Amino acid sequence: MITGASSGIGLAFAHALAARGADLILVARSGDKLNSLARELVHCHGILARALVADLTESGAASDVHARASALGLTPNIVINNAGFATHGHFDTLSLERQLDEISLNCRAVVELTHAALPAMLNQGEGSIINVASTAALQPLPYMAIYGATKAFVLSFSEALWQEYRARGVRVLAVCPGATDTAFFDVVGAAEAGVGTRMATDTVVNASLQALDRGQSHVVPGGANRMLGLLPRILPRQTILQIVANMLRPRHQGSM
């Protein structure tokens, strides 16, 4: 089961796992995109692919989509919590409702779907949960404060579960990609942010699946990203905040 499967990293996970012969449950809000993707994957790889449309910002939606899959006899043994979005701008000027939806999708939906999926995995004595966090989890993000905080939650939550369940056959991995070649920054209204070269989605997915196979608790794809991730451990926190603020400061008003 892949959330946010219709684009970006979620789409790359769908193609990579289909190529490995995995049957897929594709979850996103766009029914047209999901159904088109499901048909493509079935045609190209001969797998089973089922599209389940859901708005995971809604309370209970993630639990419900797992129940819908189970009712179809499609209880997943791999769950990839990829769906998420960010807001960019001064915290006080951003829509509170939008930021609360951001928390719901980035955090609550991850918790709900993980909680729904774990019992069957534990009964089987095996299973995998991949939660897509971000290098944003490694330090606070001025002007993207809610996004950074939600991804820090995902990283902490995932690593705690890694320790809780690894002896019971369930692998949990937090993926912390840096800037990736998706529409993320365009959608969030931060296309001008100084985030450097963007990594290919396939590179992120391959690093993630390799880390899962090795039983890691988290992975930061890319050597440059791993080096940058070490800076908060070396430099004073206020220095890091100033650097990040200079990268992400809105260049114009009217950010999302």
Side-chain angles (χ1 to χ4, degrees):
M1 178 176 282
I2 306 170
T3 70
S6 60
S7 63
I9 293 173
L11 179 61
F13 266 117
H15 281 286
L17 291 173
R20 291 186 173 198
D23 295 329
L24 299 176
I25 306 163
L26 308 170
V27 181
R29 292 188 301 175
S30 172
D32 290 343
K33 287 184 179 180
L34 280 185
N35 286 313
S36 176
L37 174 60
R39 289 192 295 268
E40 176 187 353
L41 296 175
V42 169
H43 175 74
C44 292
H45 302 287
I47 62 159
L48 170 67
R50 179 63 67 93
L52 295 180
V53 178
D55 181 355
L56 299 182
T57 64
E58 297 178 357
S59 178
S63 299
D64 177 68
V65 81
H66 187 273
R68 288 160 56 195
S70 297
L72 296 170
L74 302 174
T75 303
N77 63 351
I78 300 174
V79 169
I80 301 174
N81 283 301
N82 166 74
F85 73 90
T87 49
H88 176 242
H90 295 272
F91 171 73
D92 66 296
T93 66
L94 296 170
S95 162
L96 177 60
E97 181 179 4
R98 180 72 169 164
Q99 292 183 92
L100 292 176
D101 282 346
E102 184 179 358
I103 295 170
S104 292
L105 182 58
N106 296 5
C107 296
R108 183 171 63 189
V110 173
V111 172
E112 282 187 8
L113 187 51
T114 300
H115 194 268
L118 266 173
M121 293 181 182
L122 293 172
N123 286 337
Q124 296 167 1
E126 63 177 358
S128 299
I129 298 170
I130 299 176
N131 294 329
V132 178
S134 168
T135 52
L138 306 178
Q139 71 288 300
L141 296 187
Y143 309 111
M144 295 180 71
I146 297 298
Y147 183 71
T150 60
K151 293 305 182 178
F153 172 88
V154 171
L155 176 58
S156 177
F157 173 67
S158 302
E159 290 199 300
L161 296 192
W162 175 84
Q163 177 61 34
E164 283 189 45
Y165 294 108
R166 62 193 181 110
R168 299 176 65 182
V170 177
R171 299 175 294 180
V172 182
L173 174 72
V175 181
C176 298
T180 306
D181 189 17
T182 69
F184 174 87
F185 288 99
D186 299 316
V187 171
V188 80
E192 79 280 8
V195 295
T197 303
R198 300 181 185 183
M199 183 174 290
T201 54
D202 288 346
T203 302
V204 172
V205 168
N206 290 337
S208 302
L209 295 177
Q210 290 171 10
L212 184 70
D213 289 340
R214 290 193 293 264
Q216 293 177 218
S217 63
H218 81 284
V219 62
V220 181
N225 289 329
R226 288 192 290 274
M227 290 294 292
L228 289 173
L230 294 175
L231 290 180
R233 302 182 183 184
I234 300 169
L235 298 176
R237 291 183 67 82
Q238 290 184 344
T239 300
I240 292 295
L241 288 169
Q242 290 170 358
I243 293 172
V244 176
N246 287 336
M247 293 170 59
L248 297 179
R249 182 175 287 109
R251 303 296 189 260
H252 56 83
Q253 297 299 316
S255 296
M256 292 177 65

